[in-house]
Structure formats: structure tokens, C-alpha cells
Amino acid sequence: MRLDVGPFAFGAAGIGNLYEAVSEEDAASAVEAALAAGVRYFDTAPHYGLGLSERRLGAAIAGVPRADLVLSTKVGRLLVSTGTERRDDEGFDVVSGLRRVWDFSRDGVLRSLEASMARLGTDRIDVVFVHDPDEHYAAALDGALPALSALRDQGVIGRFGVGMNQSRMLTRFVEHSDLDTVLLAGRYTLLDQSGMDDLLPVCRRRGVSVVAAGVFNSGILATEQPGDHYDYRVADPSVVSLANRLAAVCALHGVTLPQAAVWFPLLHPAVTTVCLGARSAREVIRNAGLFDHPVPDSLWQDLIAAGLLRADAPMGAAR
């Protein structure tokens, strides 16, 4: 079933203290700003801040009619008590008595979902993604995905899929299971269209919806003047140069680099929404504004002509 949630989705890793701490007030105001901007799809995960993102998101949406929201969370990293608080070492600025344990079994899925629903304050999850099973393909295919399929068929969850930073393994999951949607991070962007080579054509044929995440490629495309981080590390000078060339062509059309970055994935018929993270109301308002003005078709054609965008990239009407 196609995931119809609008072009702009809220990614809640930031309010789980990704890289740096976010106050309770800023986290709540970010979600409130997203709701005010018309966002109805919110994506989170136990991994994000060792449950902090889910708890904060749940608190912020507590007064919103559940039917007005689409919530997704993830399974694969089960949170278990250590009995001792320590600072997280996986990119989140939190101190917690919980740790992550990889678990793609049926029991692990059920335990993870039960805990996620408690943190979110809801009795159902609309979309459940198997989270980053890069080193656990067989366990996810044989354990987590059949468990989620059964839960979907029982009406316990709405849809299920897999979320990853690569397209090759996602393609295998689409080909060998009956999932509904995938979350593809960083592999269908202005700088990396590799998802076109395998995943996106298969998703279109099988009617699998694609949530495009990581469209700023870790920040290099997030600002009018390109940043210096690409794919979670300091960008190679050649990548920065390419981003600067993209920005220059965008400017000729009165378009900013981040504006083009969010509109480009939506041109592909398999992509249903773009998921953007934010940690404050200001960031949400800025992100929402990127969707206010469609990008002229002439920009895409000029990027192709300049060799900055693949000539076979779909140029259909963005949603």
C-alpha cells in the first residue's frame, strides 16, 4: 500500500540529542512547528538517544488526535538495562542506563515495539522499519520481516519495511519479502543517485514506497554555500567542488542548494516523501519553506547538460 503522507516528513533523530544536546523546550517546539507546518508523518527510533527521541516525540504529540498522525519507528536495536548510567558512544549526547543490543528475532521485534509504543504513548505504530541490518541480512529476512508481516496482517501495525544507508541490500529485501516501504538514506540525492541503479526501479515495479532521507548528505547540501561534511565525515575537496558547481547553477535559476536538494528526490515516481531532521522550531520552519516554491524544470535540464546530474534521472512532476 502506497505511503501517502505529503512531501515533508519530520525526522526525530535530532530531538534525541544527535551530536549535541537539545533542550526539552526546543525539542517540543520543533515538533509543534512541524505540526503547524502541516507535517503529519514523524519518524523516530529507539536508537535515537537510547529512547529519548521516542519519549520526547510522544510527549509533544500527546494532545494531537491519533488519526491525524502517521508514526514510524524501528526495530533491530533492542534497549536493555545495564544497571549503570554511562555516556552514549554512538553519536548521541545522552547519559543512560540503557544499551543497544542487536536483535532481529520475532521476540526481539515484539519486545522492541512494546517498549516503543510505551515511550511514544500510543497503542499502534503506522510504519515499522527494520533498522540498519547491514551485518544481519539473514536474521532480518528470516526473523524480523516475517514477524512484522504477521503483525501487519493482524492489524497491529499499518505497514513495515527496512531503513538503510545503502541501496543494494534494500533491493534484496524488496525482492525477497512483501514489505510495503523502504527508507533510503543518502543514496538518491543531488550528489549520489546510486539508488537508481537497483532499488528505485524495483520499488516502482513492486509498488513499494520510498522515504528519501539524508538528502543533504550529512550537511554538505543543507546550506546555500555547501558545508564541509559528506556522508558522516569531512568531505573530500572534489566533493566540495562538485557541490559548489551545483550551487552555482541553482543560483542562476533563483534556487538555493537545499531547495533543490529536497525537491530532486520527489521527481522520482517511487519516492513518496522526503524526511528532514530538525532540532528546533527555527530549523523546522526553514525546512518547511524549502517546499513552498517548486523548482523550475529548466534547472534540472541545465544540471544534466553540465554533467552534474544523471541524464536518466526521472524528471516527472514532483508532489
Side-chain angles (χ1 to χ4, degrees), residues 32 61 225 245:
E32 291 165 4
I61 62 174
Q225 295 301 314
R245 293 173 61 198

Side-chain angles (χ1 to χ4, degrees), residues 102 104 130-142 145 161-177 179 181-185 187 194-195 197-200 202-203 208:
W102 292 108
F104 296 91
V130 178
H131 200 185
D132 295 337
D134 300 72
E135 306 300 325
H136 308 274
Y137 175 76
L141 185 66
D142 298 335
L145 290 179
V162 182
M164 302 183 75
N165 293 298
Q166 59 155 297
S167 62
R168 183 176 179 181
M169 189 177 291
L170 275 180
T171 303
R172 294 170 64 192
F173 282 121
V174 172
E175 291 174 334
H176 298 292
S177 68
L179 53 73
T181 184
V182 296
L183 190 152
L184 175 65
R187 298 297 168 256
S194 58
D197 295 328
D198 41 29
L199 179 66
L200 295 179
V202 173
C203 287
V208 172

Side-chain angles (χ1 to χ4, degrees), residues 44-149:
T44 184
H47 172 54
Y48 302 157
L50 290 164
L52 179 63
S53 172
E54 290 182 321
R55 290 195 299 273
R56 285 177 163 175
L57 179 58
I61 62 174
V64 181
R66 185 63 179 83
D68 293 347
L69 301 172
V70 175
L71 299 180
S72 65
T73 191
K74 304 179 181 75
V75 297
R77 291 176 173 92
L78 191 61
L79 303 184
V80 300
S81 176
T82 64
T84 303
E85 291 199 342
R86 64 177 180 86
R87 183 163 295 280
D88 183 51
D89 59 1
E90 293 196 29
F92 294 88
D93 187 1
V94 295
V95 175
S96 174
L98 299 173
R99 66 184 178 91
R100 305 167 183 86
V101 175
W102 292 108
D103 192 333
F104 296 91
S105 68
R106 177 182 179 277
D107 180 64
V109 164
L110 296 177
R111 290 171 60 195
S112 184
L113 282 178
E114 181 180 18
S116 288
M117 287 189 287
R119 287 188 289 266
L120 286 164
T122 185
D123 60 358
R124 74 178 191 279
I125 303 295
D126 301 292
V127 185
V128 180
F129 292 107
V130 178
H131 200 185
D132 295 337
D134 300 72
E135 306 300 325
H136 308 274
Y137 175 76
L141 185 66
D142 298 335
L145 290 179
L148 292 173
S149 180

